[in-house]
Amino acid sequence: MRLGTNRRLANVKTRQETGLDFIMQNIDLNTPFGKKQLKEIKPYFPGEEDELREELDKVESMVHFVQENSRLVEQIQELFMELKEVTYSINRSANQTLAVVEIYEIKSLLLSMRRLLQLTVKGDERLIPEEYILEDTTDLLDVLDPRRDRINTFYIYDEFSEKLRELRGKKRELELAIRKEQKAKREEIKKEHGIMLTPKFDITVSKSKTSDLEKIKAIEDLEMVDQDHISATFMLKANDVVFGHMRDLDVLHGEIEEEEEVVRREISIEISKHAGVLLANCDRMGALDLALGKSVFAVKND
């Protein structure tokens, strides 16, 4: 079977009677790319015998590969199980800004491509047929992984933008200033009223302890934020200093979001520049997945 134009000979009835549908349903595939290629498989017709023989030779060769390299086949299939359908994100990267989740999934794909190359290419030795060998995508992986840690996570790192680094630095300074002011106020309340707030600057008091409840209610720096029929929770109020820092934080949050979008746009453009290689590699992984799936089925069913 091959990819090509369908004809009447390969109708539903013929596929069912020959057992082809049963076989296709029982080929174990692990990638969205391989599953797509399986659905697109079409038959060879009279006059295409040479192409059919070539395909059968490939299947026979891959069957021998599966029999002789069981551990490597397992490793490849385990890797394939982690792959997600990301071709939509790759295709739209040229015209739209990708979301963080999409960029993460593409980075994950790149890490899988890197791992597959490590498994299948040892120096100058190719452990699988050349048609399944991926093109190296290290350059793009370096863009998405500026720290070169090769961990399967993604975050818009400070390394992507000096402006972003500065904005986040200011944010941390403001958060520390707010925390410092709150701690100072907590110590003041402890000294003046003998009440110790939690690290979250709140305190919960039982309503049955009327004197304690009234004492806490009288403290101007505390406000009730929650209550039920058993207890009431009070929180440290934000004073003018804290309010000022919080206003500055709101402005910073907006600027950080804008810069993060700029970074995501730049990353999306970079991905689009490598779209051809990425899609070609996806096709090759799909073809390898399908070839392994057919061969494993052949071995199991003799």
Side-chain angles (χ1 to χ4, degrees), residues 49 67 89 95 150 197 239 246:
E49 288 81 5
Q67 291 172 325
S89 297
N95 302 313
R150 301 312 192 231
L197 303 181
N239 58 23
M246 291 175 67

Side-chain angles (χ1 to χ4, degrees), residues 169-184:
K170 292 178 181 178
K171 177 187 174 184
R172 286 190 290 271
E173 289 174 2
L174 285 173
E175 289 171 340
L176 287 172
I178 290 173
R179 186 88 179 161
K180 183 178 179 180
E181 182 67 22
Q182 289 173 324
K183 284 182 177 180

Side-chain angles (χ1 to χ4, degrees), residues 50-231:
D50 289 342
E51 291 89 339
L52 175 57
R53 291 190 187 94
E54 183 180 348
E55 176 61 23
L56 291 175
D57 287 342
K58 287 182 180 179
V59 174
E60 184 177 8
S61 175
M62 189 57 71
V63 166
H64 292 316
F65 172 80
V66 167
Q67 291 172 325
E68 296 170 2
N69 300 275
S70 58
R71 178 54 186 153
L72 176 57
V73 171
E74 287 177 5
Q75 290 176 312
I76 292 173
Q77 290 183 320
E78 287 172 3
L79 184 151
F80 279 171
M81 290 178 187
E82 301 173 0
L83 297 180
K84 294 183 178 181
E85 174 56 84
V86 295
T87 55
Y88 173 74
S89 297
I90 294 171
N91 284 322
R92 78 185 195 91
S93 62
N95 302 313
Q96 299 183 47
T97 300
L98 300 181
V100 170
V101 171
E102 292 178 291
I103 297 173
Y104 158 71
E105 289 178 345
I106 292 173
K107 178 187 174 184
S108 181
L109 173 68
L110 290 166
L111 288 170
S112 295
M113 290 179 179
R114 176 174 179 265
R115 176 58 180 155
L116 184 58
L117 270 173
Q118 292 173 336
L119 288 172
T120 57
V121 178
K122 305 293 184 182
D124 295 331
E125 184 182 6
R126 304 294 197 261
L127 303 183
I128 58 175
E130 188 69 31
E131 64 187 286
Y132 304 124
I133 298 294
L134 304 186
E135 292 189 53
D136 191 355
T137 52
T138 302
D139 288 348
L140 181 58
L141 179 57
D142 286 345
V143 172
L144 274 61
D145 185 25
R147 296 179 179 177
R148 309 291 195 271
D149 55 22
R150 301 312 192 231
I151 297 174
N152 193 17
T153 59
F154 180 77
Y155 174 69
I156 301 182
Y157 305 106
D158 291 349
E159 285 82 356
F160 283 125
S161 164
E162 185 60 36
K163 180 179 179 181
L164 186 60
R165 185 197 302 274
E166 293 175 0
L167 291 172
R168 286 176 174 170
K170 292 178 181 178
K171 177 187 174 184
R172 286 190 290 271
E173 289 174 2
L174 285 173
E175 289 171 340
L176 287 172
I178 290 173
R179 186 88 179 161
K180 183 178 179 180
E181 182 67 22
Q182 289 173 324
K183 284 182 177 180
K185 184 57 68 174
R186 182 175 62 187
E187 288 302 312
E188 184 180 316
I189 290 174
K190 180 182 178 182
K191 288 180 181 179
E192 292 186 9
H193 305 283
I195 293 172
M196 187 61 186
L197 303 181
T198 71
K200 294 183 178 180
F201 306 104
D202 63 6
I203 185 170
T204 299
V205 60
S206 173
K207 288 186 175 180
S208 63
K209 298 180 180 180
T210 307
S211 59
D212 290 345
L213 182 61
E214 293 303 319
K215 179 180 179 181
I216 291 174
K217 281 183 177 180
I219 300 175
E220 293 184 357
D221 291 314
L222 299 179
E223 60 181 342
M224 186 185 295
V225 293
D226 190 25
Q227 66 173 321
D228 53 30
H229 64 285
I230 297 175
S231 63

